[in-house]
Amino acid sequence: MSCGRPFPVHVFPQIIRNAVYEVEQHTQAPQALIAASVLGVISLACQNRIDVCRLNNLRSPVSLFLLTLADSGERKSTVDKLLMKPLYQLEEAWFEKYTQDLIIWRNEETTFSIEKKALMSKLKSDIRRNKDHSTTNERLKTLLSANPKAPVRFRQIFNDATPAAIKDYLSGCWRSIGLMSDEAGTIFNGYALNELPFINKMWDGAMFTVERKSEPDKLIKDARMTLSLMVQPDVFKKGYLERKGDTAKGIGFFARCLMCQPSSTQGYRQITSPVVSSEHLPVFHKRLMEIVNESIVRNDENARQCLRFSAEAEKNWIEFYNKVESEMGLIGFLSGFKDYASKMAENMARIAALLHKFNGDEGDIPLSAVEAAVEISAWYVDEYVRIFSKPQTLLLVSSEADELYSWIKDYCYRCVVPYIRKTTILQYGPNRFRNRSKANELLSTLYSQKKIRAEKIGKTIFIQPVDILI
């Protein structure tokens, strides 16, 4: 696969940008891989604190689904450990507390069971002997009302849990988790992604009923889930795509994901200086934990702040939305990727809100955050198109597109017209371009290269070379 353009790290707020550069210094991993991990960490930290409101008060989560394709040896695990360090420490602390609370609860439960058994035995005896059992009955009621509650194991990070385990957890008292893995082969080959409709619902922030035959129904409401998965390309493409790719694409899972395949740095990781900076990651971690601790103190979905766009930012968001919409139609760049394009504006809004929140800014989301989110979203669009485009060489497509462009220009010159109907290309164009799908592909290439304009009048599509003068 050809290399994509560099990730626009420069558009991140300074606190995030410095962390990316510092992790790159330490690991020499691909910038895009580090940036994707950073977005996943920020999404996990912020998703329980904020939502984002778009046009007409349309409210949605800020959770991101990130899928990064990277070969073995790209230092995925090292990047993950550096960025997630304080979150992993928190998970360990929570687990230690849960372990201690479990020991105390089991002791209390043993004492409770003995007392309960003794009082029930006495109550039965009093009833059999026709003795006044009101005192024993009251003592039993008091005991039952003080039944020791089993401790809750708080956790944010899941690796390869089953959908059933995730549902049970999200229907409990904690409703913000991340499905995170730096080696997600087991996830794609395992159970976690077996129920993609459920995963999609979590991206949407929708309600979900958990039905069990032997238990009362449970309701997952206003839960938040971040996906941040790094997987080897062969595992994803030759394994998951072949088995479940059509399903995942058909129900819109891939459309919700920010996907990329960063260019490898292997073979270029020379040590030029043994001295690297170490002051920026602690600043990033401090801000990360400030937000996480806010969520722990106020674990209430109703307490989520809804961030809105400033007037300038909303105008920019609308322009982005309209541009994406136009690229979906006719022979636009995204005409073959309408499923993905339909989620782009929402993902862009989520990224803008996350950057604003993490940077510690107050008030509405400013224009600068939206402009940064536009560049990041556009980068992910290019990556998605690159990953899912048909396996043809760019050179061949470009060569054929240029040939069709020359034919269109020649036709316009000969007929002394400024445009040509698309149906004319299908009827009279070069033989191998008269196939509708082939013509659409080449016209889309020319359109993305800004060599042609396209306009639809009624049911007729008109194509005009941009540099022709009649």
Side-chain angles (χ1 to χ4, degrees):
M1 174 173 288
S2 60
C3 297
R5 61 188 177 92
F7 188 97
V9 177
H10 64 280
V11 304
F12 277 138
Q14 186 176 19
I15 186 174
I16 303 173
R17 184 171 67 245
N18 288 345
V20 172
Y21 289 144
E22 191 162 277
V23 171
E24 184 185 22
Q25 275 188 317
H26 281 273
T27 65
Q28 297 191 54
Q31 270 191 0
L33 185 151
I34 300 168
S37 295
V38 163
L39 286 171
V41 173
I42 293 172
S43 171
L44 178 60
C46 296
Q47 65 182 5
N48 207 34
R49 295 299 303 123
I50 59 171
D51 288 336
V52 62
C53 276
R54 292 168 282 145
L55 201 61
N56 300 322
N57 291 322
L58 189 60
R59 183 169 183 157
S60 69
V62 295
S63 310
L64 300 179
F65 282 10
L66 297 126
L67 176 54
T68 305
L69 311 182
D71 284 313
S72 177
E74 295 295 351
R75 298 177 176 168
K76 301 186 291 292
S77 299
T78 307
V79 169
D80 178 75
K81 288 175 183 175
L82 284 172
L83 292 171
M84 297 274 288
K85 181 180 178 181
L87 294 179
Y88 286 141
Q89 290 173 340
L90 179 62
E91 292 283 309
E92 289 179 13
W94 277 349
F95 184 72
E96 288 178 10
K97 184 179 186 306
Y98 171 74
T99 303
Q100 294 301 316
D101 290 345
L102 194 62
I103 294 171
I104 295 170
W105 173 75
R106 283 173 175 163
N107 291 335
E108 292 176 345
E109 181 72 9
T110 300
T111 302
F112 172 82
S113 296
I114 293 171
E115 292 179 355
K116 176 184 172 183
K117 186 175 180 181
L119 284 173
M120 289 184 70
S121 178
K122 187 175 188 313
L123 182 63
K124 290 177 183 178
S125 176
D126 290 346
I127 293 173
R128 278 200 307 269
R129 296 178 183 182
N130 284 326
K131 291 179 62 178
D132 180 16
H133 58 272
S134 58
T135 301
T136 305
N137 197 36
E138 286 302 316
R139 286 177 61 192
L140 181 59
K141 285 181 180 179
T142 302
L143 178 68
L144 292 175
S145 66
N147 183 10
K149 302 295 182 184
V152 175
R153 183 188 170 187
F154 289 105
R155 60 187 300 192
Q156 292 183 97
I157 304 167
F158 286 74
N159 296 112
D160 189 26
T162 63
I166 294 173
K167 290 173 187 176
D168 284 343
Y169 194 81
L170 288 176
S171 60
C173 62
W174 184 262
R175 299 187 178 183
S176 174
I177 68 165
L179 187 57
M180 324 281 281
S181 177
D182 53 72
E183 290 293 347
T186 54
I187 291 179
F188 282 99
N189 292 323
Y191 299 103
L193 298 181
N194 268 359
E195 295 186 31
L196 292 180
F198 164 67
I199 300 294
N200 284 354
K201 288 281 188 182
M202 294 303 96
W203 186 87
D204 298 336
M207 285 195 300
F208 191 91
T209 304
V210 182
E211 299 177 352
R212 297 280 189 272
K213 287 184 179 180
S214 57
E215 298 177 16
D217 288 355
K218 297 178 180 179
L219 185 66
I220 298 174
K221 182 182 177 183
D222 287 320
R224 298 293 182 261
M225 178 189 288
T226 291
L227 250 68
S228 183
L229 307 176
M230 291 186 273
V231 63
Q232 294 183 32
D234 284 350
V235 173
F236 177 73
K237 293 179 180 178
K238 296 181 181 178
Y240 188 76
L241 278 187
E242 290 180 359
R243 290 183 293 106
K244 299 182 179 179
D246 289 343
T247 301
K249 200 169 188 302
I251 68 171
F253 172 64
F254 289 154
R256 289 167 169 80
C257 293
L258 300 174
M259 300 177 63
C260 69
Q261 185 172 353
S263 301
S264 175
T265 58
Q266 295 187 56
Y268 303 94
R269 301 182 298 209
Q270 303 295 323
I271 298 176
T272 56
S273 171
V275 180
V276 294
S277 66
S278 58
E279 70 263 28
H280 298 302
L281 261 179
V283 176
F284 175 83
H285 288 157
K286 181 175 181 292
R287 178 58 185 153
L288 183 71
M289 295 314 293
E290 285 174 356
I291 299 170
V292 170
N293 288 330
E294 286 177 16
S295 297
I296 295 170
V297 172
R298 302 180 66 182
N299 181 30
D300 177 6
E301 64 273 8
N302 295 320
R304 292 190 190 111
Q305 178 188 5
C306 192
L307 298 182
R308 301 174 186 277
F309 293 114
S310 68
E312 277 188 318
E314 184 171 78
K315 181 181 177 183
N316 196 280
W317 182 85
I318 292 171
E319 288 175 359
F320 179 79
Y321 177 93
N322 289 338
K323 187 172 187 297
V324 170
E325 188 68 21
S326 65
E327 293 288 0
M328 290 168 62
L330 299 179
I331 53 173
F333 177 61
L334 298 171
S335 59
F337 304 93
K338 293 179 181 178
D339 56 335
Y340 189 76
S342 67
K343 303 295 182 186
M344 278 178 57
E346 182 169 348
N347 262 326
M348 187 273 269
R350 295 181 182 209
I351 293 170
L354 289 171
L355 298 182
H356 180 59
K357 172 65 177 178
F358 197 85
N359 205 40
D361 298 326
E362 299 294 330
D364 293 336
I365 301 169
L367 177 62
S368 58
V370 171
E371 288 175 337
V374 166
E375 285 210 44
I376 293 169
S377 301
W379 186 85
Y380 272 108
V381 171
D382 288 347
E383 284 292 294
Y384 187 88
V385 171
R386 192 166 65 91
I387 291 169
F388 285 103
S389 288
K390 294 178 180 178
Q392 290 179 286
T393 65
L394 293 177
L395 182 61
L396 177 59
V397 174
S398 179
S399 174
E400 291 181 335
D402 288 341
E403 184 180 344
L404 179 59
Y405 178 62
S406 296
W407 185 88
I408 294 172
K409 283 179 63 177
D410 182 64
Y411 179 93
C412 291
Y413 277 122
R414 283 188 288 106
C415 298
V416 197
V417 292
Y419 54 79
I420 181 175
R421 289 176 174 82
K422 181 182 172 184
T423 52
T424 303
I425 298 173
L426 297 174
Q427 290 173 348
Y428 305 110
N431 283 332
R432 65 183 187 282
F433 300 156
R434 293 183 188 179
N435 176 278
R436 188 176 297 275
S437 61
K438 183 66 175 179
N440 285 344
E441 179 185 3
L442 298 180
L443 289 171
S444 179
T445 299
L446 293 174
Y447 186 80
S448 66
Q449 294 173 348
K450 296 182 169 48
K451 290 184 176 181
I452 60 172
R453 297 190 185 94
E455 184 177 357
K456 189 173 185 179
I457 301 176
K459 295 183 178 180
T460 305
I461 297 175
F462 295 90
I463 310 295
Q464 180 184 12
V466 296
D467 62 348
I468 192 167
L469 295 173
I470 298 296

